[in-house]
Amino acid sequence: MAGDNGHEELRIGVYVCHCGSNIAGVIDPKAVAEYAMTLPGVVRATDTLYACADSGQNLIKQEIKEYKLNRVVVAACSVRMHELTFRAAVSEAGLNPFLMEMANIREQCTWAHGHDPEGALEKAKDLTASAVAKAAFLTPLQMMKVPVTKRAMVVGGGVAGISAALDLGAQGIETILVEKQPTIGGTMAQLNKTFPTMDCSI
Amino acid sequence: MVDAARHPKVDIRTYTEVERVDGYVGNFKVLLREKSRYVRADRCNGCGECARVCPIEVPNYFDMNLAPRKAAYVPMSQAVPLVYNIDLDACIHCYKCVEACGKLEAIDFSMKDKLVWEDVGAIIVATGFSHFDPSVMPEYGYGRYPNVITAIEMERLNNTAGPTAGNVIRPSDGTNPRRLAIINCVGSRDKHFNPWCSNFCCMYGIKNAVLLKQTYPDMDITIYYMDIRTPSKGYEEFYDRAREMGIRFIQGRPSMITEDPETRNLFVHSEDVTLGRVIEREYDMVMLNQAAVPQPDVDTTSSVLNVTQSPGGWFMEYHPKLRPIDSPNDGVFLAGACQGVKDIPASVAQGSAAASRAGRILHSDQWEIEPIVAVVWEDRCVSAQGKKCGICAKACPYGAIEYEQGKAAHVVTAKCHGCGGCVAECPHNAITQMHFTDAQILAQLHALLAERPEEKILAFRCHWCSYGGADLAGVSHFEYSSNERGLRVMCSARMDADFIYEAFRLGAGAVLYSGCHPQDCNYITGQRLGAARAERLMKAFEKMEMTPGRFRVEWISAAEGDKYARVINEMQAVLNSIPKEKLMEEIERLRPEMEKRARRLREVPQVEEALEYSRQLEIAMVGEEA
Ligand SMILES: Cc1cc2nc3c(=O)[nH]c(=O)nc-3n(C[C@H](O)[C@H](O)[C@H](O)COP(=O)(O)OP(=O)(O)OC[C@H]3O[C@@H](n4cnc5c(N)ncnc54)[C@H](O)[C@@H]3O)c2cc1C
Ligand code: SF4
Ligand code: SF4
Ligand code: SF4
């Protein structure tokens, strides 16, 4: 389905984030965007100050429409940070969220290679190219819906666990509070009066 | 505590441990072991007659072993629930308790541990913390000098419900101390033991000083500190109050405590930073504010509940700023000190936050999960052609694959967690994983190795651990060679041998095969599948006489940023040590073998298209000669 010899013409948009000076302090995001523009299937590539900010997300959303993009690559931070953010953004612009791919050019590039800006730039280009290559073969996917058992379990009956269990209970959710000792309470139960209120702990 | 016991929706199971967790968000199945207390909870009314007649005394953990309890016991009189326990390790089977219990017939020595399965939609982990044992610091004499005690022991002594009914006495002679030293940061902020600040000891040190001063106005109290950390609301003011009350603060970390063997008095040797000199002061008693440390069984808890650890053994949040309550495992949340040291207000707040995060799921009729599951190409599966196989079904950690000879293997989508193990194991390339297809991964591989591949270190990383480790290396600004090129899959189980052969065929200088440690695996046994494959690859490359170190296998947790950086730098050093011509020669020598081994990859649907795309990409990246 995908690939430039597939049924659908590839229209990939690439957004290279400055992340303030976190990325742009080491490499030139413009250079990465210009480079991305030369890659097969890429019809639009640009840099942006903060891709994750409203302005950055709006830019992506707007350009998906303007350039009729069918794939988006965001070269920015870790997927652990913002994959869900950008999936949501492209999906608001009508693109399937799984047609977005990230290149991690911050945690795994500029932050780790501050001493070597040339090497970092070359790596950022390669990581972006790799994300573009993956994007070329992405297929739309639907989230799977699973049923939910409306009961909760809290493991550990110290103050934190008790507080969680009481709040869940107050929300009307049946909650099992599991404690390995013979009594709940944790360390707090062993304490004399506690700061900041200096009332008794139990 | 009592509120929890009274709440109709909260079902408290004490003396109970989690044995196993199966399932996934919205649909967890948890196996609980309700340990036998030898007292039936439905019959015991908490009268304590059994404890009164029990002749056996053992130290009570709850009182930090400062006071005894019986073999028939509750740890404290306000226990919730108020059900007695018989400690069978201590019990001499005199059965006086049975007699004392009488008609209630609550004591039942035939009770067995009960295993029960519970279905729940979300799990909150709130397993708390433990106390550093200062006896490993001989300079403070804890365990040797009776009048050196820990803070938690002081909490029990200075407690009307405690072993001395609140009378603070010297363990050596039972007298009230007149001069007390409190030492902060014992085992905390100390590279030899625990690098972290234990968060609440400054405050509880001051708290205990204030409380003692109220009860014993003549007591002379000195707190030794490195820095006083009182950043929360009202805490600095509390510190001011302590100073106004006449509590003395000395900046300096004591180097040593010595004891007068006659009086059992203690001499604290320390620097006084303000005075700029070394001082020695005499005390009747010393209290050590020992570090807060992870629970001793944290490794078991993290593998049973499938939560990963941050440096030091605290449970790791999905993201420290954006998702501080979620664990990386969907539907599992963290609350309290198990996630990192915090005091009661913060623990309660985090408990509420976790309840609210869990509520998002538990109030929904359906929950969405990522569709990165495995799918069988039925026409490629040899079982459909009547041959015996089923390798995929054996590989799956979740038993998600139905295999019957004569029919194509079938993935039960709801059970598949998307590790990709079956995909990599299928010898006929008959399975694919959504969002991590062979074609996608291959296209990435080619892009990463398009230019000067011999200089590159291609690093395969799993999403949960080694990718996180690489992130942490960056976050901590541990610098490593910029020749590293990372490729992420969900689990090392997905790292197909074909990818590694293809990387070397393309001329990669070095390849790292990395994933989680076995006990951290997010897919039960996925890592083991990956590890076994990596071992086979290692043997194959040894046979081919590949330079050692060009293929490396490392298990790196998301907490091991330093290790990630070190491994990459060591691999760079290996590459630096091989003369360029020799490396190129070796790459050429091995290419035909790699080509042969990677050939089957080309049968996979879409791979030809990926290779065609890669050719164009390479032309764009390096020009026609590629
Ligand atoms: C000496 C001292 C004095 C303190 N004084 C104060 C104070 O005055 N004010 C203040 O705000 N804070 C104080 N603190 C801090 C306070 O104790 C903690 O903030 C609080 O106890 C954290 O609560 P928690 O529920 O996260 O963990 P915990 O209190 O450790 O509770 C965890 C619970 O989980 C249970 N558990 C563990 N593992 C498992 C498992 N695998 N399965 C089932 N159950 C399990 C444990 O048995 C325990 O009951 C003090 C701490 C110390 C050491
Ligand atoms: S039988 Fe055991 S628990 Fe009961 S009184 Fe005797 S020693 Fe105590
Ligand atoms: S391993 Fe592959 S060929 Fe064998 S049964 Fe599973 S899907 Fe079919
Ligand atoms: S082995 Fe992994 S990817 Fe394959 S069916 Fe099982 S859980 Fe899914």
Side-chain angles (χ1 to χ4, degrees):
Chain A
M1 274 146 283
D4 55 349
N5 55 354
H7 308 300
E8 180 192 23
E9 184 208 353
L10 275 179
R11 297 190 65 80
I12 306 176
V14 180
Y15 298 87
V16 186
C17 186
H18 288 236
C19 193
S21 63
N22 283 299
I23 293 169
V26 178
I27 61 169
D28 177 10
K30 271 202 174 46
V32 179
E34 276 161 25
Y35 169 80
M37 213 38 218
T38 66
L39 302 175
V42 176
V43 297
R44 167 71 178 156
T46 184
D47 57 312
T48 160
L49 203 52
Y50 285 105
C52 62
D54 280 351
S55 55
Q57 292 194 43
N58 287 337
L59 173 79
I60 296 171
K61 285 188 233 173
Q62 187 193 321
E63 294 203 347
I64 287 174
K65 297 198 177 110
E66 193 178 330
Y67 291 88
K68 299 196 171 46
L69 303 177
N70 54 18
R71 301 284 187 284
V72 167
V73 167
V74 185
C77 51
S78 168
V79 295
R80 291 161 70 103
M81 182 100 184
H82 275 316
E83 188 171 55
L84 295 180
T85 313
F86 294 117
R87 273 191 192 161
V90 303
S91 127
E92 279 167 35
L95 203 63
N96 181 282
F98 291 89
L99 298 178
M100 190 286 303
E101 183 67 21
M102 287 185 79
N104 183 340
I105 62 166
R106 191 181 75 170
E107 285 85 344
Q108 299 186 5
C109 188
T110 55
W111 277 357
H113 312 307
H115 64 304
D116 177 11
E118 255 170 64
L121 179 61
E122 202 179 309
K123 177 168 166 179
K125 288 178 177 174
D126 282 1
L127 294 179
T128 307
S130 163
V132 166
K134 180 164 180 181
F137 292 88
L138 288 176
T139 49
L141 299 173
Q142 299 309 322
M143 289 297 277
M144 299 193 316
K145 291 201 164 50
V146 294
V148 172
T149 307
K150 301 191 170 200
R151 292 173 89 209
M153 180 171 292
V154 177
V155 184
V159 256
I162 294 174
S163 149
L166 284 174
D167 275 21
L168 284 166
Q171 292 176 36
I173 291 164
E174 196 187 312
T175 302
I176 303 168
L177 177 57
V178 178
E179 167 58 54
K180 73 172 168 193
Q181 297 293 355
T183 176
I184 59 169
T187 297
M188 184 198 57
Q190 291 175 282
L191 303 178
N192 187 11
K193 299 181 170 130
T194 58
F195 70 79
T197 49
M198 303 303 267
D199 44 9
C200 112
S201 66
I202 301 180
Chain B
M1 280 171 65
V2 203
D3 290 345
R6 252 193 247 121
H7 203 291
K9 289 277 182 187
V10 178
D11 173 5
I12 300 179
R13 312 271 179 92
T14 49
Y15 215 40
T16 297
E17 281 176 28
V18 177
E19 291 258 313
R20 200 170 133 189
V21 179
D22 289 347
Y24 49 93
V25 56
N27 301 274
F28 293 107
K29 286 193 178 307
V30 186
L31 180 62
L32 295 180
R33 174 180 293 273
E34 297 181 354
K35 289 179 284 183
S36 127
R37 350 164 74 108
Y38 307 105
V39 176
R40 293 184 45 174
D42 55 339
R43 293 197 184 156
C44 175
N45 68 4
C47 68
E49 287 303 327
C50 53
R52 243 183 303 284
V53 298
C54 177
I56 297 298
E57 287 194 341
V58 289
N60 187 0
Y61 82 91
F62 190 85
D63 281 326
M64 304 318 289
N65 303 333
L66 294 171
R69 62 159 169 81
K70 298 293 184 69
Y73 75 105
V74 282
M76 62 166 170
S77 51
Q78 308 94 319
V80 174
L82 193 56
V83 175
Y84 276 70
N85 292 259
I86 310 282
D87 174 357
L88 224 52
D89 292 334
C91 168
I92 54 162
H93 296 277
C94 66
Y95 303 123
K96 289 198 176 124
C97 54
V98 178
E99 219 173 282
C101 193
K103 275 214 279 300
L104 281 172
E105 292 183 358
I107 297 173
D108 175 359
F109 278 90
S110 71
M111 255 173 113
K112 296 253 155 25
D113 286 7
K114 217 165 88 194
L115 288 170
V116 276
W117 283 99
E118 295 291 352
D119 290 329
V120 295
I123 298 173
I124 293 174
V125 185
T127 49
F129 71 105
S130 182
H131 315 288
F132 172 73
D133 175 5
S135 63
V136 301
M137 299 175 80
E139 63 270 32
Y140 287 167
Y142 177 75
R144 262 183 305 132
Y145 307 151
N147 295 330
V148 175
I149 66 166
T150 62
I152 190 77
E153 288 166 346
M154 177 62 91
E155 294 279 352
R156 296 310 298 153
L157 285 179
N158 190 20
N159 194 318
T160 39
T164 56
N167 188 14
V168 176
I169 48 169
R170 299 195 337 150
S172 68
D173 54 15
T175 59
N176 295 118
R178 286 175 300 105
R179 297 162 300 179
L180 172 74
I182 297 177
I183 301 179
N184 276 2
C185 302
V186 176
S188 304
R189 304 177 68 198
D190 184 336
K191 297 270 176 319
H192 301 293
F193 301 105
N194 308 294
W196 54 81
C197 164
S198 292
N199 178 298
F200 41 59
C201 359
C202 274
M203 274 299 281
Y204 75 56
I206 299 173
K207 170 190 77 174
N208 278 298
V210 166
L211 290 172
L212 287 166
K213 197 82 184 163
Q214 282 165 351
T215 326
Y216 309 95
D218 293 334
M219 196 187 281
D220 180 69
I221 304 175
T222 306
I223 296 183
Y224 289 84
Y225 68 100
M226 298 216 289
D227 304 284
I228 292 285
R229 297 190 166 174
T230 49
S232 293
K233 189 163 80 178
Y235 289 13
E236 182 71 10
E237 293 85 330
F238 188 61
Y239 171 33
D240 283 342
R241 210 169 94 209
R243 275 181 303 195
E244 281 158 20
M245 286 173 80
I247 290 152
R248 186 182 302 108
F249 288 81
I250 294 180
Q251 188 172 23
R253 172 175 252 175
S255 55
M256 192 172 50
I257 299 173
T258 50
E259 188 198 49
D260 178 340
E262 297 264 300
T263 59
R264 295 282 189 180
N265 286 351
L266 302 155
F267 298 90
V268 174
H269 305 255
S270 162
E271 191 190 3
D272 183 328
V273 174
T274 324
L275 297 180
R277 60 184 166 84
V278 175
I279 54 168
E280 182 195 313
R281 294 173 61 97
E282 187 176 353
Y283 298 97
D284 304 312
M285 198 167 180
V286 174
M287 161 178 152
L288 304 177
N289 290 352
Q290 81 280 32
V293 294
Q295 294 282 12
D297 61 351
V298 63
D299 289 341
T300 317
T301 313
S302 68
S303 74
V304 171
L305 296 170
N306 215 340
V307 284
T308 39
Q309 296 174 19
S310 312
W314 308 105
F315 292 141
M316 188 181 316
E317 60 284 348
Y318 189 100
H319 189 280
K321 275 187 287 186
L322 303 174
R323 292 171 71 179
I325 308 294
D326 304 2
S327 82
N329 190 1
D330 209 9
V332 179
F333 304 91
L334 307 175
C338 64
Q339 179 264 346
V341 193
K342 51 183 71 65
D343 61 12
I344 294 170
S347 299
V348 171
Q350 213 180 23
S352 292
S356 147
R357 291 296 288 172
R360 286 169 72 237
I361 297 169
L362 297 168
H363 291 296
S364 311
D365 295 322
Q366 287 186 319
W367 194 249
E368 288 192 331
I369 56 175
E370 290 200 350
I372 54 172
V373 292
V375 177
V376 177
W377 279 303
E378 299 193 353
D379 53 331
R380 298 186 57 84
C381 172
V382 295
S383 174
Q385 298 144 26
K387 297 200 182 109
K388 205 168 153 193
C389 183
I391 291 173
C392 53
K394 279 202 210 87
C396 180
Y398 300 95
I401 302 185
E402 290 170 352
Y403 163 76
E404 190 186 320
Q405 194 177 345
K407 278 195 203 157
H410 174 70
V411 177
V412 182
T413 310
K415 284 193 188 169
C416 170
H417 287 229
C419 66
C422 59
V423 187
E425 286 296 300
C426 172
H428 303 282
N429 288 319
I431 317 182
T432 186
Q433 183 187 8
M434 295 293 110
H435 217 55
F436 290 90
T437 67
D438 282 3
Q440 289 165 353
I441 294 170
L442 222 60
Q444 285 182 284
L445 191 65
H446 278 247
L448 294 173
L449 294 173
E451 256 179 294
R452 300 193 305 282
E454 68 282 359
E455 292 176 9
K456 304 290 164 14
I457 301 161
L458 190 81
F460 284 92
R461 286 103 44 112
C462 75
H463 174 79
W464 305 100
C465 293
S466 49
Y467 182 91
D471 270 359
L472 186 62
V475 170
S476 324
H477 293 264
F478 292 137
E479 303 207 332
Y480 57 86
S481 166
S482 65
N483 287 328
E484 179 258 17
R485 295 289 181 274
L487 206 161
R488 179 180 65 103
V489 290
M490 294 311 286
C491 176
S492 53
R494 178 70 182 98
M495 296 169 193
D496 203 319
D498 295 350
F499 301 150
I500 317 296
Y501 295 133
E502 180 71 359
F504 281 123
R505 184 188 76 82
L506 290 169
V511 174
L512 172 67
Y513 190 110
S514 75
C516 61
H517 293 277
Q519 70 275 16
D520 292 344
C521 187
N522 227 60
Y523 304 99
I524 314 176
T525 50
Q527 185 269 357
R528 269 175 251 173
L529 211 57
R533 193 182 308 128
E535 203 172 306
R536 290 196 297 274
L537 283 163
M538 190 61 97
K539 288 222 175 79
F541 296 143
E542 272 165 20
K543 252 205 181 126
M544 294 180 205
E545 293 179 3
M546 180 189 278
T547 305
R550 284 187 61 209
F551 178 64
R552 187 154 170 181
V553 182
E554 285 293 345
W555 312 117
I556 302 174
S557 80
E560 292 174 322
D562 52 339
K563 180 169 179 189
Y564 190 82
R566 177 174 53 77
V567 166
I568 297 297
N569 285 333
E570 287 172 4
M571 293 180 79
Q572 182 63 52
V574 167
L575 284 183
N576 294 346
S577 72
I578 315 173
K580 178 90 182 248
E581 316 80 74
K582 203 176 150 256
L583 178 64
M584 296 311 279
E585 228 175 76
E586 180 171 307
I587 289 172
E588 288 314 320
R589 174 172 64 80
L590 296 179
R591 204 187 298 275
E593 180 65 24
M594 298 294 177
E595 173 132 25
K596 198 170 99 201
R597 290 179 182 238
R599 190 168 300 147
R600 306 222 43 189
L601 199 51
R602 280 154 181 73
E603 302 166 358
V604 178
Q606 278 204 344
V607 160
E608 274 309 330
E609 284 157 84
L611 294 179
E612 177 50 34
Y613 177 85
S614 298
R615 263 187 291 279
Q616 293 178 31
L617 190 83
E618 278 156 35
I619 292 170
M621 288 174 79
V622 288
E624 281 295 340
E625 73 271 23

